[in-house]
Amino acid sequence: MSAVDKFYEWHKAEMEYLEENGPRVRRGRKPSKKQYFTYMTDQAIIAYNTEPSWSKRNRVFRDHINYPFNKLVENIYHTFKFSYFDVPYEDVKAEVVAFLVQKIGKFQEGKGKAFSYFSIIAKNYLIIQNNANYAKMKARTGTDILDERRNISAEVALSDHQESLKEFTDLWTDWYDKNMNAIFTNKRDIIVADTILELFRMRENIENFNKKALYILIRERTGLKTQNITKVLNVMKRDYAKMFGTYSKSGHMIP
């Protein structure tokens, strides 16, 4: 049988089991409400990606993936209140769902939950588009009218600080990458540190993510527990703060 045929056979058996025995006991906190993106959705996506027949792909997408994708985008859009879109909400949702479909083939079985993976993709896409729309809106309104409440001196100081921070972060990331094996001796810690440094390198795309989302991303990439990540992160935060303090005074990277 093809991948989709196997999925439907598994899905039928799973539904019969649930009807007879109730929900399976799973690790983690009990959901507060009915879930729309479940382990069955994960299996449907895996079947979709490994199915050679497009007609069967379309069937499993229509039956088991389309609704979870739409609901996922809907929840993220309303939770983070993206407000700089000049097209109807339904058009925005359709655009993001289409983007998720483009990226569906990159989801890999065993690399984490599909919900976390596609949540990050959808949120990142909306952030980028929302920011781009905001920039266009500012350009259209022009800069000839200056808000009297603006503190120009403070804005200049902030801009200088941000530029200095960006330059230091680039230098610090390179330095830490070269000295990582001397700072951490445990292989597990080195894997975590390397993953965090990679996030530093791609920070322009993820700077709007919250702490929880970043932890999820690191856990999925490393396969390690939160406490393992926190231990390494605390060491790196300490080193970063100390070295930036020195850099701010001297203008040089001094370990």
Side-chain angles (χ1 to χ4, degrees):
M1 291 189 296
S2 71
V4 167
D5 291 335
K6 290 179 181 178
F7 166 78
Y8 275 101
E9 186 176 82
W10 169 85
H11 184 267
K12 180 181 178 181
E14 188 70 7
M15 294 302 293
E16 290 174 353
Y17 173 90
L18 295 176
E19 186 174 349
E20 293 178 6
N21 303 283
R24 293 183 181 273
V25 178
R26 296 185 173 273
R27 295 176 58 188
R29 187 171 55 186
K30 185 178 180 180
S32 58
K33 55 185 178 180
K34 185 178 180 181
Q35 300 296 292
Y36 62 89
F37 206 120
T38 69
Y39 65 97
M40 293 186 184
T41 312
D42 284 42
Q43 293 303 315
I45 291 172
I46 293 168
Y48 178 94
N49 283 336
T50 53
E51 174 59 56
S53 168
W54 277 104
S55 62
K56 293 182 179 181
R57 277 189 171 195
N58 292 336
R59 179 191 173 195
V60 75
F61 181 86
R62 182 181 64 251
D63 293 347
H64 296 282
I65 302 174
N66 185 49
Y67 175 76
F69 271 11
N70 275 269
K71 195 67 178 176
L72 173 70
V73 174
E74 177 183 325
N75 288 348
I76 291 175
Y77 183 91
H78 291 302
T79 297
F80 293 92
K81 302 186 186 304
F82 296 102
S83 55
Y84 294 107
F85 288 93
D86 54 3
V87 295
Y89 155 70
E90 289 296 335
D91 291 350
V92 176
K93 184 171 73 169
E95 180 182 335
V96 181
V97 170
F99 186 72
L100 295 183
V101 175
Q102 290 180 25
K103 299 297 182 181
I104 195 171
K106 294 187 176 182
F107 174 73
Q108 297 180 21
E109 183 178 4
K111 295 293 185 179
K113 299 294 185 182
F115 176 78
S116 300
Y117 177 79
F118 289 105
S119 291
I120 292 173
I121 290 179
K123 190 190 302 180
N124 196 29
Y125 183 84
L126 283 166
I127 288 171
I128 292 172
Q129 297 301 317
N130 192 67
N131 289 349
N133 291 337
Y134 176 70
K136 291 177 182 178
M137 184 195 72
K138 286 180 63 179
R140 286 197 299 265
T141 57
T143 58
D144 53 333
I145 301 176
L146 183 65
D147 188 343
E148 295 179 355
R149 292 173 295 177
R150 287 177 61 191
N151 186 332
I152 301 301
S153 298
E155 290 183 14
V156 172
L158 177 61
S159 177
D160 290 343
H161 172 75
Q162 290 174 336
E163 186 63 31
S164 176
L165 190 63
K166 181 180 183 302
E167 181 180 349
F168 167 78
T169 301
D170 290 336
L171 294 171
W172 181 85
T173 302
D174 290 339
W175 179 88
Y176 221 91
D177 186 45
K178 294 175 182 176
N179 294 275
M180 185 167 49
N181 290 329
I183 300 170
F184 301 105
T185 56
N186 185 296
K187 183 178 179 180
R188 181 179 60 193
D189 293 345
I190 292 174
I191 292 174
V192 175
D194 183 63
T195 301
I196 294 172
L197 289 177
E198 183 60 28
L199 294 181
F200 268 93
R201 295 187 187 97
M202 55 187 292
R203 64 189 183 276
E204 295 295 331
N205 294 327
I206 62 174
E207 61 184 356
N208 291 311
F209 286 1
N210 58 37
K211 182 178 178 181
K212 182 178 180 181
L214 290 176
Y215 261 97
I216 291 173
L217 185 59
I218 296 171
R219 284 206 307 266
E220 290 185 349
R221 289 193 173 199
T222 62
L224 298 172
K225 297 180 180 179
T226 299
Q227 55 264 37
N228 302 130
I229 298 169
T230 301
K231 183 182 71 171
V232 175
L233 191 57
N234 286 340
V235 173
M236 297 178 74
K237 284 170 62 178
R238 179 201 65 198
D239 294 342
Y240 186 95
K242 286 184 177 180
M243 294 173 70
F244 181 65
T246 304
Y247 178 83
S248 299
K249 296 175 183 178
S250 66
H252 299 287
M253 272 288 298
I254 302 176

